[in-house]
Structure formats: C-alpha cells, structure tokens
Amino acid sequence: MKLHESALVLALASLAFAGGINTNTNQSVLFQRSVARDASTDVDAPYANPAGTAFMEDGFHISLNNQTFWQSRSVTVDNSPIFADDTEFEGEAFVPSLPSLLATWHHGNLAVSGHFGVIGGGGKVNFDDGIPSFHALMFSALKQIEDGLTEKGLKTTKSAVDISLDASSYIFGATLGAAYKFNNIFSVYLGARFNYAMNTYDGSIENLKLNTTVPGVNPDGKMKDASELADTFEDLAAAAKKAGKTEEAVQYATLAGTFETLDDKASMELDVEQTGWGITPILGLGFQYKKFTVGAKLEYNTSIEMENDTKKNGTPLSQFDDGEKDNNDIPTLVTLGLTYAPMDYFRISLGYHHWFDSKADYSGDLEDYIDDTNEMLFGVEYDFLKRFTAGAGMQVTRYGITDDYISDMTINLSSVSFGFGLGCWATDWMRVNLSYFHTLYEDYDEKVEYGVNTYNRESRGFGVGLDFKI
C-alpha cells in the first residue's frame, strides 16, 4: 500500500463542492447562478471580489445564503485476486445546509465588508461497506486466521468482517476587511480571515464471520459469527462440565476461547476528532471603467496544525493517537476576473483561479504528489422585466494529481460544473435568489496492489438566498 494512504486528514475530509482540493469557492447563491464572480460588485463581492465592494452603492448590503448538496463517490475494483470484477464501494454525502453570510457597509470611497461561511469541507461521507484498501489490508489477516484454524483441524476456507467508515470535515471562515476607491476607477482591499478546522473519523471493523466446519456444531460449513461459535462452545463446555465430562469440557472451553480471541483480534474501532486554526491574509485590487470591471484577489497560504482528540484508536495507525499533530494547510489562492457589460441589462464574465497546492503543507506530505490546481470560469447574466435577473455559467477544474496521490481515500477528480438560476427583487430592498449547480467528474483509473481501481464522483446542489439593501 502507498504510504500516504494512511493519511486521512485531507483524504476523506476533502468534501469541497466547488474549488480547490481543500477549499470551497461556492460562497453564495449568486456563484451557483452565474459561476464567474471574480469581478463582482454585487452583494457577494466581500468573498468573490473584495476590492469590488468599493464600487457598490452607499448603504448596507447583506446577503444570506443556504446551499444543499447531494454527493457520492465510488470505487469500482477490477482484475483483482481479492474482489470479484465490478465490485463497487460507494460513499454518500448529504449536506442539508451549507450557509454563508456576506455584508458590506459602503460610504463614499470606503467600504467595510465581512463574510462568514464554510471555506473547506462542509459535510460527512458515509462508507457503509468501508473502502477497498481497508478490505485488502484485512485480507492477509483473515487468511492467517483461516489457515490457523485449518491447521488445528477446524477446516475454514472463508472469512469476512463488517467494515464501515464515516468521515466529516469543516473549515469555518470569518473574514473582515476594508476597500478604498481612488479616482472612481481603482480600488484596493486589505483583510484577513480566521479559519477554524474540524475533522472527525468514526470507523469500525467487527463481526468476524467464518465457515469453520465443526461436526455437530456447523457440519455444513455455513458462514457464522465467530462470537456465535464462541457462545456455542461455551454452552457445550458448561454442559460437559455439568455431566462430569471434564476432558470434553476443557476442549470445548479451549475452542470457545479460540473463537472469542479471533473475534477480538479481528475487531478495530476508531473515534477521532481533529481541530486546528489559522489566519489568512487577503489582498484585493479592483478596476472599473465604463463597461469593464476587473477584480484580482490573493489569499495567502494558511498554516493549520490539526491536533487529535482521540477517544478510541484500535488501529495500527499511530497518526490517530491522542495528541498527535499533523498539517492541513489552505493553499495560496490567486483569482482574476473580468466582467464586460455590452448593454446595461446584459453582462459577460470570465474568471481564473490558481491554487498553489504544491507549496502547501498537507497531511502525509501529499503535496509531494500533486501539481497546482487551475480553474477557468465563464458566466452570463441578463436582467429583464425590471426586477428579474437570469444567469448561467460553467467552471472547468483541473487538478494536478498523480497516481501517487490519488487513492480510495483521496478521490479528487478534475471536473466540469454548470450552474444556473434566477433572482427577483420582491421589493426595492429585498431580492430572492434561486440556483442549481451540477458537477460532472472525470473517471480515473489507478493500478493498485489488489487490482485496478476506477474512481468516480457525482455532485449536485441547489441554493436559496435573500439579499437586502438598507
């Protein structure tokens, strides 16, 4: 197995919905609606284009957003001596609420803005049947159990365990900053974001099952729980002892102890919570002239050290021991955006994102196995009937991953995303926004020790938001 496959901090925790390996850029319903928001001067500017807040109208601007997502990730195994062809392991994630709040106070040439949202992660993945690498790791251990019982005269040719794994990840971010406009054309922004990260891992390997053939107990060699066999032999030992058959009682008691020991040996539990924090310096530049608006943003690399609070670690993985520390950086991000309005009611936007993943410090030194991430974004908006705005957009995400990075725990796949939606000013001071966002991922094949893994993901979500002008 690859060494970094035991590094789960970034692995199952990478639940990003739109953006880089460890970050979310979908911080508003307006993003879902038209995608390319990097030159925005609307209510989502505090995150998307903070220097753009300097070009907003005087007053308070508030945006409340909630996004709901359904995600799945799957691993299909082929050409394996352990698994049948097309054996699929699937993980499901449902995120009922991914909230965000954006607010701006603008007066004259000055704007003070803030943002709160889930900057990274944002949900929980459930692998009810575990993942193939865990089963592969157990394969040799189960084979030893089978051979050991057979050598004792207890013919055993099949064994199995129940494996489950749940993982969740959240990076909450709170941003505060100010922008200033010069000559009604240029603007600058300086701010910072406080990030609080929390990961949880809850896994188990339990319920050892064996097809041990035992005359009078399991003569047909059916699959039975090891604990059930242990209880059966304990009852037989008690009955033999009561009947005065001391030798039989000892034999049955020994067998009961054997199956009980095997059941304990094949069981593992993991219950870990990891927390850490870091501060992100943010710099923004803006430009607006006639029909053109340009935005640029730099979020500097955020060092986050995660520390374990371990309640149970029955695994051989020492990185889950209580008090152990590891890194989970948020990499440097550069965004560029351009919006062109050929007509007052029609806007075309382009965007570009670059994450310096190879310069970050990830768990298990995963940065050694990836290049930087790049995104291209395109969006359009159209105002009609005075109070309505329709929008649509596309995002192309390209991760620089390699075979040495990807695994059944790090399923980050290049993708194309589509979003569209509608906004309506219900009153002069309140707008309602609705949106839908769908991501199509590229399959990725990887040759592993136990066969060939094919990785796949699916993601779809919708958003509801309220914007206010005061």
Side-chain angles (χ1 to χ4, degrees), residues 187-200:
S187 66
V188 296
Y189 169 89
L190 182 64
R193 183 174 66 236
F194 175 79
N195 307 276
Y196 181 78
M198 179 175 65
N199 300 328
T200 63

Side-chain angles (χ1 to χ4, degrees), residues 40-80:
S40 172
T41 57
D42 208 329
V43 289
D44 62 332
Y47 174 81
N49 177 30
T53 57
F55 298 112
M56 298 173 71
E57 297 177 355
D58 280 356
F60 286 97
H61 305 263
I62 300 171
S63 181
L64 303 173
N65 303 268
N66 184 69
Q67 299 172 64
T68 301
F69 280 91
W70 291 263
Q71 278 199 348
S72 66
R73 58 196 69 196
S74 66
V75 186
T76 303
V77 187
D78 290 299
N79 302 323
S80 173

Side-chain angles (χ1 to χ4, degrees), residues 166-201:
D166 297 339
S168 69
S169 175
Y170 295 89
I171 303 178
F172 300 99
T175 307
L176 183 64
Y180 191 81
K181 178 174 59 176
F182 300 90
N183 301 323
N184 291 322
I185 296 176
F186 300 100
S187 66
V188 296
Y189 169 89
L190 182 64
R193 183 174 66 236
F194 175 79
N195 307 276
Y196 181 78
M198 179 175 65
N199 300 328
T200 63
Y201 304 96

Side-chain angles (χ1 to χ4, degrees), residues 256-314:
T258 296
F259 285 104
E260 186 175 350
T261 299
L262 291 175
D263 190 43
D264 291 340
K265 183 184 285 188
S267 298
M268 296 182 189
E269 286 188 83
L270 180 65
D271 186 356
V272 181
E273 180 179 295
Q274 301 166 327
T275 56
W277 63 274
I279 296 177
T280 307
I282 304 173
L283 176 67
L285 298 173
F287 171 83
Q288 190 174 67
Y289 183 71
K290 294 185 177 179
K291 298 180 178 181
F292 291 92
T293 304
V294 177
K297 179 177 68 169
L298 168 67
E299 295 188 1
Y300 194 69
N301 187 86
T302 309
S303 296
I304 298 180
E305 185 179 68
M306 308 294 289
E307 183 173 357
N308 292 351
D309 179 6
T310 303
K311 297 177 178 61
K312 293 179 183 178
N313 182 18

Side-chain angles (χ1 to χ4, degrees), residues 172-253:
F172 300 99
T175 307
L176 183 64
Y180 191 81
K181 178 174 59 176
F182 300 90
N183 301 323
N184 291 322
I185 296 176
F186 300 100
S187 66
V188 296
Y189 169 89
L190 182 64
R193 183 174 66 236
F194 175 79
N195 307 276
Y196 181 78
M198 179 175 65
N199 300 328
T200 63
Y201 304 96
D202 186 0
S204 66
I205 299 174
E206 58 187 357
N207 298 331
L208 173 64
K209 300 176 183 64
L210 303 160
N211 73 335
T212 306
T213 300
V214 182
V217 175
N218 190 28
D220 299 328
K222 296 180 179 179
M223 292 290 282
K224 288 195 173 184
D225 290 345
S227 59
E228 180 184 347
L229 291 170
D231 290 342
T232 299
F233 282 115
E234 282 183 4
D235 292 342
L236 290 172
K241 184 177 181 181
K242 187 175 181 180
K245 300 177 181 179
T246 305
E247 187 174 342
E248 282 187 23
V250 171
Q251 291 175 347
Y252 288 138

